[in-house]
Amino acid sequence: MARWLNVENDLKTLIYQTTGFQEGDENFAICVQFAMTNIKYHRFLSVDSHKVTKSINGILEKFEIHSQLDKKDCLQRLCEQFLSTPCFEGRDTGKTDTHYSLLMLLLSIGENPTHATYIEKPKILKAPEVVDDFDWGAYLREGEETFSTIYADSDSESDYDPLSDEETVVTVGSKAMEIPESQEVDSRISTILSDATTFHVEEEPDPRESGMTWLTRNVTVQYWCGQNRPEDPESMENLKKDWERYREATDPLYSNQNNITMSEIQLLREVLWILGGATDSFVFVLHGEEYIVRENIYVQHLTDNSLESYLSSFAKYGSCVQRLLRFEEESICGSYDLSITDSNRLTCQTYQAFANAISNFIKSLRKELTQLEKRIIKQEQTMTLAMLHGDLSPWLKKTEVVHSVYIRGVREAGWLVNNCQRASHLLSVLFETVVEYDTLGQNASDIVELLIPLWIQTTKPYIEVIDEWITNGNLVDPRSEFILKRNEGVKSLDESFWETAFTIHVPADSTLRDGIQKSQHTVTDNSQSKRGTQSVDKSYASSHWAPEFLEPVILEVVLAGKSMEMLQDLGKLADVCGVTREKSLYMSFLESLQALLGTRPHDDFTEESPPELSMYPEQIDRQMKIKGIYDPLLKINFMDVFHSCNVRLQGPIDEEDQDSKMLNVLETERLHPINLVLRQCLYPHITHKYSRVCTRLVQILKEEYHLMDYLAAMRHFFLMEAGDTMFDFYSPIFDKIRLNSHWRDISTVNLILQEALQAHYPEETSRLYVSLEDLPKDRRPINITDCIELHFKVPWPVDVVISSKCQAIYNQIFTFLLQVKRAKYCLDELRFCDLEKDILPHNHSGTEFSRHLDEDMPRKGRTHRMHVLRMRLTYFVNSLHNYIMTRILHSTGIEFKQDLGKAKDLDQIIAVHNKYVNTIHERCLLHKMVKLLKQAVMNVLNLILNFQALWDEGIQEISLKTIEGMEIEFSRCILFLSTFLNNVTKRGSFPHCKLKKKKKISYICPYCRQTHSANFCKCLNDTDV
């Protein structure tokens, strides 16, 4: 009754809280009666675990449909943990009815779980206290069996009384316990097992025996001295004994006297030692860089083949660790050898960084090995060679990967002759390995987690060289491992600075061949390399001139470095660097990696900074107040002094440790494709520096050094765009040549040029001058002006763009244009009166008089023929002149200005300018490919000069045969030009030479007086001229 009374009181309270009815109300009594009836007489069904599980799976599926994966994972994990917890019904297992009942209750009271906001609170686990529970006794008795003895109760004060003859032995475990015979042996005592609560004494030393005897019995067997483990007659390890008996029975010559029997624990520790890098081992003998397993080692419960299989596998990985450690040692020793002066013989910084990364990996491996050795020493868990191999399999795989990178990146690159190629090869091999394992996805996530920090740490010296160059303009490369080297013979103010100041570290082909041959012999003789000569040939074929991961931005790096050095020479470095120091390129790269990939929680990364020490003594304040010279400003100065001392005592932050911590906390499981990572994390920083530096340099050249004005001056004078000025220059010279006056005087020519410039470009008089070279070998009239060369004084740094080579090309174009101008000028200056002037009779000889008598055409006919020929020549030279000045010079100049406006750096400006000059050079028929075309044009121009000379002599001195000869020569040249240009236009070789449709070059036959457009006239074919 008391139980139901308590239930009734609880029900009344529940009804009042739920409905709000007061006791005494009719509704309240009805509710109490209904609740008591259901509790007393209704039988509820037990919870159905399958329905609960199905409901939970439905909620999990709903979470997944609504993309609430975090809720799904959390609910699934919590349910599994709750169901597996043994906490109800007095059972030591989970999944009871109580578990499912509570879950059903939670499911019933839950409302709309998909719209609820849930944030999982992390559990704060208390770190267990570190207790030094190391059992030194077990450590000294490692591998030995423990003999425990339980003594009967005794009133004797001495614990060292020997057992009497009347005592009986009772078995405890596998050993014996002695009790007196007078006492009756209890059956319960005979089944006692030794545990932590049993009082027993382990090998108490007998005071009568010496200390050496006790140590000999308790210390581990010195197997390294040839001592064997004593056999236990009650041992269950019978496999080895049976095998030995079989071999002795089958082989009469077999002897096991030199065999050393060891326990598996001893073997395990030997394995851990060699994997940690120990060179002295009894089981494993180090031969060069290879561990060899000793032959006479045996374990009682393993066969020879099984033992050899396990030990050989561990020896292989131990050899890998030994090679890595030796490389680390060589890198350190080869970095500080003062006797070596050649930087290429010293270990490059990339190798040092790689060795440092390997050292960090081996430290992590040794930590894991230390934990395993502690477990083995405690002997609280079973550990065998197979179990050790399984536990270490991830680390062994990592060791194999790191070793393969070392072999391919360092060992097989021994034939490379300089540090630049070695560093580039190693970085490229590392990058290719990262890409290779990255493509495997989740199957190689642990390897990628190892390789990413390894690769990034190895690239640090290379990135720092780039950062110093593109940030401060200093190419600091003490080990000559960067792809470029500074040519000390080229001064900063030299016009060839941009092209020759930096050269690529590429040796001669003969040096490479010698290195390959040496490497082939080395690799063939080395038994460790499995690739042989084919690997060397493959490495030579695929060796990278630059690190593969930098190839997409290497051009930007080089241009930014050159631009920074030029800005430094111009004194404009502050315009780019600024006052505040920016973050290094390497740190920016790491921060971008963290922002992209995220970080995982790590205790070492969130260490609190040490408190700042106060170095300012209070005695100074007291002394200043006592002496009456207290000054707040003086106190501030004292505090600054002591603060600086504090900073020096604390020392700088170790950047290497900070980098390692940042790399260790990277979330590599979210790693994107490595090319995408570089494109988002490293390349933008380099591109930003390149854009800022190069844009500023171009702006300075255009605004402060007037680059555009100098380029315009070159077009004005060398390309004769300033027509009035250049006409004033060359017209007096052409007149003197026509009058056969002396004109090849450098002072006279320069005076004519200065007078022409003074009228239109007075500011250029000090920059432009003329020099006269030797006459060309070709003494034709058209080549007389080839000795004139223009020179324009271009200051630094504009001469980097307008170099002396460019001026030489400009002069070739100027010479050609001067020839065309001269031909046009000569035709324009012809007068009709000069042709029809009379010659005195006494000036003619008899031969000349007879020549005029033989004329078949009267004077008017010859005059008309001369006028027609002049018009034809004028039409040709005017067409050629207009084509050159408009279609070539003007159109190409417009394209040049557009391309120049799009140029972002000085290299693009130089490339655009060189392209512009070379295009004009080619289109002015100065290229070797159009030599025949130029020769035909020169023949016509030379014909014009000969025609002018005949014109000046008068019609009386011109015979019909001479006129016909000039007409035939001109017709042949026109026909050749027409045929050549039509064929070239059809092939599309010279787009600028394309002529309009239905417009062909025509000529008039001098014999039949008919116009022809494509082929020779029959008159010309039948006439021998």
Side-chain angles (χ1 to χ4, degrees), residues 349-350 353 356 427 454-467 549 584 586-587 590 654-657 659-660:
Q349 294 181 346
T350 303
N356 185 34
L427 294 176
L454 188 71
W455 170 64
I456 294 176
Q457 289 179 357
T458 308
T459 60
K460 183 178 181 180
Y462 215 92
I463 294 179
E464 287 179 345
V465 172
I466 294 174
D467 183 30
F549 75 97
S584 64
Y586 184 73
M587 289 302 299
L590 293 185
D654 192 352
E655 294 184 358
E656 184 176 353
D657 294 342
D659 298 346
S660 300

Side-chain angles (χ1 to χ4, degrees), residues 8-37:
E8 184 177 358
N9 293 331
D10 293 338
L11 284 176
K12 290 180 179 180
T13 304
L14 177 62
I15 292 170
Y16 172 74
Q17 296 292 339
T18 305
T19 62
F21 298 149
Q22 297 293 334
E23 190 173 357
D25 296 344
E26 183 180 0
N27 293 329
F28 185 85
I30 294 174
C31 291
V32 171
Q33 184 180 3
F34 175 78
M36 289 296 296
T37 303

Side-chain angles (χ1 to χ4, degrees), residues 818-832:
L818 197 62
Q819 293 172 348
V820 177
K821 294 282 187 181
R822 184 186 173 197
K824 184 178 183 305
Y825 181 81
C826 291
L827 289 177
D828 293 341
E829 292 298 319
L830 294 180
R831 300 292 182 266
F832 293 110

Side-chain angles (χ1 to χ4, degrees), residues 333-585:
C333 296
S335 304
Y336 304 100
D337 194 350
L338 300 179
S339 61
I340 300 177
T341 58
D342 186 9
S343 59
N344 285 317
R345 295 179 58 191
L346 292 171
T347 303
C348 62
Q349 294 181 346
T350 303
Y351 276 18
Q352 297 176 31
F354 182 57
N356 185 34
I358 290 177
S359 177
N360 295 334
F361 165 72
I362 293 179
K363 286 179 182 178
S364 303
L365 175 62
R366 286 174 174 172
K367 288 182 181 179
E368 182 68 20
L369 297 177
T370 303
Q371 297 297 329
L372 289 174
E373 189 172 6
K374 287 181 180 180
R375 288 172 51 191
I376 294 173
I377 291 174
K378 290 180 181 180
Q379 299 185 15
E380 295 177 353
Q381 300 176 357
T382 303
M383 181 66 70
T384 62
L385 289 173
M387 295 172 63
L388 179 64
H389 193 279
D391 293 343
L392 287 177
S393 58
W395 286 96
L396 297 179
K397 177 62 177 177
K398 293 179 180 179
T399 304
E400 185 179 6
V401 171
V402 175
H403 180 260
S404 66
V405 171
Y406 161 69
I407 292 296
R408 293 189 293 117
V410 178
R411 184 68 68 87
E412 294 181 0
W415 58 273
L416 298 175
V417 296
N418 55 30
N419 285 338
C420 169
Q421 291 181 312
R422 299 188 191 108
S424 300
H425 182 76
L426 174 59
L427 294 176
S428 299
V429 168
L430 258 174
F431 180 74
E432 292 172 355
T433 306
V434 173
V435 173
E436 176 184 354
Y437 283 96
D438 182 38
T439 54
L440 299 179
Q442 295 296 329
N443 297 327
S445 58
D446 53 343
I447 303 299
V448 175
E449 183 179 355
L450 164 71
L451 290 176
I452 288 294
L454 188 71
W455 170 64
I456 294 176
Q457 289 179 357
T458 308
T459 60
K460 183 178 181 180
Y462 215 92
I463 294 179
E464 287 179 345
V465 172
I466 294 174
D467 183 30
E468 181 66 21
W469 192 30
I470 67 178
T471 303
N472 300 321
N474 301 320
L475 184 57
V476 181
D477 187 17
R479 300 299 165 85
S480 301
E481 55 190 311
F482 191 57
I483 59 172
L484 297 180
K485 64 178 179 180
R486 183 69 166 86
N487 190 356
E488 300 298 336
V490 179
K491 301 297 181 63
S492 300
L493 303 181
D494 195 345
E495 67 172 17
S496 62
F497 166 80
W498 194 263
E499 297 179 356
T500 60
F502 299 93
T503 56
I504 300 178
H505 279 293
V506 177
D509 294 339
S510 59
T511 309
L512 282 176
R513 295 192 193 99
D514 296 340
I516 291 173
Q517 293 177 358
K518 293 180 181 179
S519 181
Q520 286 177 352
H521 294 298
T522 304
V523 174
T524 304
D525 296 338
N526 188 2
S527 60
Q528 305 304 326
S529 179
K530 299 179 180 179
R531 303 173 185 269
T533 308
Q534 297 179 355
S535 175
V536 179
D537 295 338
K538 183 179 179 181
S539 300
Y540 172 71
S542 62
S543 61
H544 302 282
W545 68 278
E548 187 177 357
F549 75 97
L550 280 177
E551 288 181 4
V553 292
I554 195 64
L555 181 60
E556 285 80 357
V557 170
V558 174
L559 295 179
K562 289 182 179 181
S563 301
M564 281 299 298
E565 189 158 346
M566 183 169 285
L567 286 172
Q568 185 178 17
D569 296 332
L570 292 173
K572 302 293 183 180
L573 199 60
D575 296 352
V576 180
C577 296
V579 180
T580 59
R581 181 175 178 83
E582 299 179 354
K583 292 182 180 179
S584 64
L585 181 61

Side-chain angles (χ1 to χ4, degrees), residues 296-333:
N296 56 346
I297 301 298
Y298 296 95
V299 179
Q300 291 186 356
H301 61 282
L302 291 177
T303 62
D304 297 343
N305 294 334
S306 177
L307 181 62
E308 183 182 1
S309 175
Y310 280 116
L311 295 183
S312 300
S313 176
F314 286 120
K316 181 185 72 172
Y317 293 110
S319 303
C320 296
V321 174
Q322 197 60 230
R323 294 192 194 97
L324 295 177
L325 289 174
R326 183 163 298 185
F327 166 68
E328 180 184 351
E329 182 180 358
E330 291 175 354
S331 300
I332 296 175
C333 296

Side-chain angles (χ1 to χ4, degrees), residues 180-191:
E181 292 180 356
S182 60
Q183 298 182 6
E184 199 178 73
V185 179
D186 192 352
S187 60
R188 292 174 297 175
I189 299 179
S190 62
T191 59

Side-chain angles (χ1 to χ4, degrees), residues 52 101 200 378 396 426 610 649 658 673 716 791 845 868 888:
V52 175
S101 298
H200 62 278
K378 290 180 181 180
L396 297 179
L426 174 59
L649 288 175
Q658 186 177 2
H716 288 161
H791 299 277
S845 61
V868 173
I888 295 179

